[in-house]
Amino acid sequence: MQAVRHPLLSPAPGTQREIVSLHYGRPGGPKAYIQASLHGDELPGMLVAHHLRRQLDALDAAGQVTGEIVLVPMANPIGLSQFLLHAHLGRFELMSGENFNRHYPDQIETVAQAVEPQLGQDAAANVAVLRRALKAAVEASHVDTELQSQRRTLLGLSCDADIVLDLHCDAQAVMHLYTETPCWPDCEPLARFLGARLTLLAQDSGDNPFDEACSQVWWKWNRHFAGRFPIPQACLSVTVELRGATDVTHELAAADARRILDFLRWRGLIAGDKPVLPEAQGDARPLAGSMPIYAPRPGVLTFLKDVGAEVKTGDVLAEVIDPITAEVCELKSPVDGLFFARDFLRFANAGMRVAKVAGHEAVRTGKLLGA
Ligand SMILES: [Zn+2]
């Protein structure tokens, strides 16, 4: 294993942060990229990365890593250091207010124009040409801020990978995934290995989150070169929501790491017999059918349903209670679906989104991701 340090642009004299990447196997074959805690306050992925590292060290020592596996055990040193009044933040940069998982730069048109003369009828050769050009374009891109240099570092490490796993978590939730619709055929086995209850599908959901920055280049190039050059969906990129923020236990993390490695073995990046594909624990649904549940008025919040419950339209999920007037406001599910995530705060201010139910029909439009 080779550890590589990537210094970020220094925002002020005397301070410099860095990202560390751990490299297993050898370049040239299929490549997987895994990062943890892009939202600095989401820790389950960091513990999974610790277990992945231990298991990968053993596999590497035994010469069993046959592909290339890059692990970034902590992807956001800026967010990790954000403590304010004893609370850990980590989701938004304090300078710009930008979400650390949005606004990844787009090199799609630039790269398409640069490589067009080199493309042909061999899809695999086209993939190799596009990957090389994309990586060079990302690494050569100009950055002005520490945040931009963090995005460039992460994208530079991942943009030429076959498999990208971005390890996040929700507040309180079941295991679920986000991926772009063209990735679903390749994601379906991953969902089985991880035991995901739900995969939320969208295409270009808005504001360029990290996973979509890695996957959308391929379907956009496919569309750009349609009828001229074959361009396959060469990257499976997935945001893995490792349950809730306090689901940080060795039991869960060791099992999740083992399941990720089973998938990588199944995909041929680790030597040994292909593991048997597990039974599906859930299904895929449109992100546009994931319904936010809002508290229309403030009060103490108490849930009547646990995450993982299948609910019907009109089922009461939670109550918001005004302690002054004793008014009780019922929060009901707007759809039949899976009650898959809820907040961990128990005071709701007016208009706060406190939970999510995944329905089967796409009903929302516009930008589909929350803040
Ligand atoms: Zn996150």
Side-chain angles (χ1 to χ4, degrees):
M1 186 271 283
Q2 191 196 358
V4 182
R5 304 164 81 129
H6 309 268
L8 302 185
L9 188 149
S10 165
T15 67
Q16 181 148 49
R17 297 190 175 92
E18 64 178 13
I19 286 171
V20 177
S21 57
L22 311 177
H23 298 251
Y24 294 88
R26 63 197 69 80
K31 173 177 173 179
Y33 171 86
I34 304 168
Q35 71 177 21
S37 303
L38 179 57
H39 287 138
D41 56 336
E42 297 177 2
L43 285 310
M46 213 182 287
L47 190 61
V48 169
H50 171 71
H51 284 273
L52 274 173
R53 182 182 189 156
R54 292 199 161 168
Q55 295 178 34
L56 281 167
D57 283 343
L59 289 165
D60 206 30
Q64 293 195 352
V65 181
T66 49
E68 178 186 8
I69 301 174
V70 178
L71 176 63
V72 172
M74 197 280 290
N76 182 359
I78 306 171
L80 196 66
S81 65
Q82 288 178 338
F83 278 83
L84 184 68
L85 305 175
H86 298 276
H88 192 193
L89 307 176
R91 188 174 183 85
F92 303 96
E93 197 214 22
L94 295 175
M95 176 71 192
S96 62
E98 287 182 1
N99 186 320
F100 287 110
N101 189 24
R102 302 286 187 274
H103 311 298
Y104 279 80
D106 170 350
Q107 308 275 2
I108 294 166
E109 284 302 319
T110 317
V111 170
Q113 283 173 19
V115 304
E116 186 163 341
Q118 301 168 55
L119 299 176
Q121 295 313 308
D122 180 340
N126 292 342
V127 169
V129 165
L130 285 160
R131 276 191 180 144
R132 263 199 310 277
L134 177 62
K135 192 176 175 69
V138 169
E139 288 175 349
S141 60
H142 177 77
V143 296
D144 287 316
T145 68
E146 185 184 38
L147 175 59
Q148 289 170 3
S149 77
Q150 176 166 288
R151 288 183 182 132
R152 181 177 68 182
T153 301
L154 299 175
L155 208 52
L157 285 163
S158 58
C159 68
D160 59 347
D162 300 81
I163 298 166
V164 171
L165 303 181
D166 190 13
L167 306 182
H168 288 248
C169 68
D170 211 300
Q172 295 182 327
V174 296
M175 170 80 86
H176 61 287
L177 313 177
Y178 292 84
T179 196
E180 287 200 293
T181 311
C183 292
W184 174 240
D186 286 336
C187 183
E188 199 266 349
L190 174 71
R192 292 193 192 209
F193 278 107
L194 289 176
R197 289 285 306 276
L198 171 70
T199 300
L200 291 162
L201 302 179
Q203 204 161 344
D204 222 345
S205 64
D207 287 342
N208 266 8
F210 176 80
D211 72 328
E212 294 188 12
C214 294
S215 53
Q216 70 175 5
V217 290
W218 298 103
W219 63 262
K220 287 190 174 174
W221 282 328
N222 176 286
R223 203 164 60 185
H224 181 94
F225 293 117
R228 292 188 288 156
F229 308 117
I231 312 291
Q233 181 61 42
C235 177
L236 164 65
S237 184
V238 182
T239 293
V240 179
E241 299 284 349
L242 294 164
R243 310 175 191 85
T246 60
D247 293 323
V248 187
T249 68
H250 282 304
E251 289 75 13
L252 288 172
D256 290 339
R258 207 164 41 240
R259 289 165 175 175
I260 288 170
L261 294 176
D262 280 347
F263 174 69
L264 296 183
R265 181 174 276 123
W266 191 81
R267 284 286 303 250
L269 280 78
I270 295 170
D273 294 337
K274 255 193 174 193
V276 176
L277 201 55
E279 288 290 313
Q281 302 294 306
D283 56 16
R285 301 182 190 189
L287 178 56
S290 168
M291 305 306 292
I293 310 299
Y294 293 100
R297 59 192 67 167
V300 61
L301 172 68
T302 187
F303 285 101
L304 277 61
K305 297 278 188 187
D306 282 323
V307 290
E310 294 285 353
V311 299
K312 296 281 182 203
T313 305
D315 281 359
V316 179
L317 308 176
E319 291 176 351
V320 181
I321 298 158
D322 183 325
I324 310 291
T325 65
E327 256 183 278
V328 176
C329 173
E330 293 182 330
L331 306 186
K332 296 175 180 173
S333 180
V335 291
D336 293 0
L338 177 67
F339 182 45
F340 71 98
R342 65 186 198 186
D343 210 314
F344 48 56
L345 297 178
R346 292 296 177 265
F347 179 78
N349 51 23
M352 182 170 141
R353 188 184 71 176
V354 300
K356 290 176 272 190
V357 176
H360 295 272
E361 308 299 328
V363 291
R364 294 190 295 133
T365 53
K367 290 184 181 179
L368 295 175
L369 297 171

